[in-house]
Amino acid sequence: MGIIRAAKLGFDYFRYEEEGKEPEITRAIDDVNLDIQAGQFIAVLGHNGSGKSTLAKHINGLLVPTEGTLWVDNMDTSEEEDIWKIRQKAGMVFQNPDNQIIGSVVEEDVGFGPENIGVPTDEIWKRVDDSLRATGMIAYRHQSPNKLSGGQKQRVAIAGVMAMRPECIVLDEPTAMLDPNGRKEVLKAVRELNEKEGVTVILITHYMEEVVYADKVFVMDQGRIVMQGTPREVFSRVEELKELRLDVPQVTLLAYELKKAGVDLPDGILTIEELVDALCQ
């Protein structure tokens, strides 16, 4: 069984406009089933309002299902007595790193989480060192976070979560507020955590180029999972993705248009190198 599992997961938002009136109900998650294995790199796609961020908050126990069940390492997120353990298993990184960074010095911020749960001092500093190295931020440990770039701040936020030693890290559009260089920095750190540290990564994103490295992709629309598969399988379905108001990587779209024009190319080309090789054959 996977480290993250969902069965018939449903969630409703209730909006109360006037006292005494029935609330307005919005179905944000609808009959979602998941089985994510330990060590996988998972990407979740969807346009704004598709339910992907709501799903992310369920994995960390920030939201409790209206229907169905979500388990983190076989712990039911609706069981209040397990919620602290669940949040240690599944760490969360949000869009804006400024909302997660609270320390005046990088190493102090990264060490805050372990200190807060009573980790011994020697172990805290070992975790700080390991996490800063894993995210490529060891050289900035004595700096103020306020002097860092957006991408560097986000890597510090990731290091702070990693210092808690989670088995899974959920990243809710962590590059949405960054420039292209910042996005590359964060994606590189996330990939290394997955490949070198064996951390299960669940990346919520709308940047298609970030998805090509995933083991599996889930596409959401109106609270449901409407498509899933490897990046190659998903990005081979260009017209369906367009109908869902989603893009594909630029090189994938170029290959798709060339194929439509009569060039003999395979479906689901993901990188420039793949396209060059296919054209040279």
Side-chain angles (χ1 to χ4, degrees):
M1 293 186 292
I3 187 170
I4 306 293
R5 292 182 296 126
K8 299 184 180 300
L9 186 69
F11 182 77
D12 296 326
Y13 284 110
F14 293 84
R15 182 181 176 184
Y16 294 86
E17 292 189 345
E18 293 183 29
E19 187 175 349
K21 285 193 173 183
E22 289 294 316
E24 179 182 327
I25 301 173
T26 301
R27 190 69 163 175
I29 299 290
D30 189 14
D31 196 27
V32 165
N33 297 284
L34 286 174
D35 191 354
I36 296 171
Q37 303 300 310
Q40 283 189 315
F41 186 163
I42 301 296
V44 182
L45 298 176
H47 59 79
N48 290 339
S50 62
K52 57 188 188 298
S53 290
T54 301
L55 177 62
K57 291 172 183 175
H58 275 79
I59 296 172
N60 191 243
L62 293 174
L63 294 176
V64 176
T66 304
E67 295 175 3
T69 311
L70 191 139
W71 297 272
V72 176
D73 198 23
N74 295 319
M75 292 180 287
D76 186 338
T77 59
S78 63
E79 297 292 337
E80 191 172 343
E81 64 268 22
D82 288 332
I83 200 65
W84 189 240
K85 293 178 183 177
I86 286 168
R87 289 177 181 163
Q88 288 178 281
K89 289 278 185 181
M92 188 92 171
V93 176
F94 298 96
Q95 283 186 17
N96 189 346
D98 289 327
N99 293 340
Q100 263 180 284
I101 294 175
I102 58 173
S104 58
V105 177
V106 165
E107 65 177 11
E108 292 176 357
D109 183 83
V110 175
F112 176 80
E115 182 179 22
N116 199 40
I117 61 173
V119 174
T121 301
D122 290 347
E123 175 64 16
I124 290 174
W125 289 115
K126 182 180 185 303
R127 292 189 184 193
V128 169
D129 289 346
D130 291 345
S131 299
L132 289 174
R133 284 196 177 90
T135 54
M137 291 300 292
I138 193 74
Y140 301 88
R141 66 183 304 155
H142 300 302
Q143 290 198 23
S144 166
N146 294 328
K147 296 181 179 179
L148 302 177
S149 68
Q152 289 169 335
K153 286 182 180 180
Q154 193 61 286
R155 284 192 282 164
V156 170
I158 294 171
V161 172
M162 288 308 304
M164 301 287 287
R165 295 287 171 87
E167 295 178 28
C168 172
I169 183 168
V170 183
L171 301 108
D172 186 11
E173 300 196 42
T175 63
M177 302 180 68
L178 305 180
D179 60 26
N181 286 334
R183 291 200 295 270
K184 287 179 182 178
E185 287 179 9
V186 171
L187 181 59
K188 181 175 182 289
V190 169
R191 287 179 62 197
E192 289 182 351
L193 288 173
N194 174 249
E195 294 169 2
K196 296 180 181 179
E197 308 293 329
V199 177
T200 304
V201 168
I202 301 174
L203 176 65
I204 316 288
T205 184
H206 59 265
Y207 291 108
M208 301 300 126
E209 284 74 13
E210 297 179 354
V211 176
V212 301
Y213 303 104
D215 297 311
K216 191 170 185 178
V217 181
F218 293 96
V219 180
M220 296 191 68
D221 183 57
Q222 296 183 340
R224 288 176 168 264
I225 293 175
V226 296
M227 197 183 300
Q228 60 181 286
T230 66
R232 197 176 307 282
E233 290 168 343
V234 169
F235 287 139
S236 293
R237 300 162 68 176
V238 175
E239 294 301 330
E240 291 176 67
L241 289 169
K242 286 181 178 180
E243 290 176 4
L244 294 169
R245 292 174 283 162
L246 295 174
D247 295 322
V248 298
Q250 289 184 341
V251 66
T252 307
L253 182 59
L254 174 59
Y256 173 75
E257 295 296 338
L258 288 171
K259 186 172 182 176
K260 278 184 23 179
V263 179
D264 185 15
L265 292 172
D267 291 329
I269 285 177
L270 299 177
T271 66
I272 294 173
E273 291 77 15
E274 286 182 0
L275 178 57
V276 171
D277 288 344
L279 289 171
C280 291
Q281 289 180 2

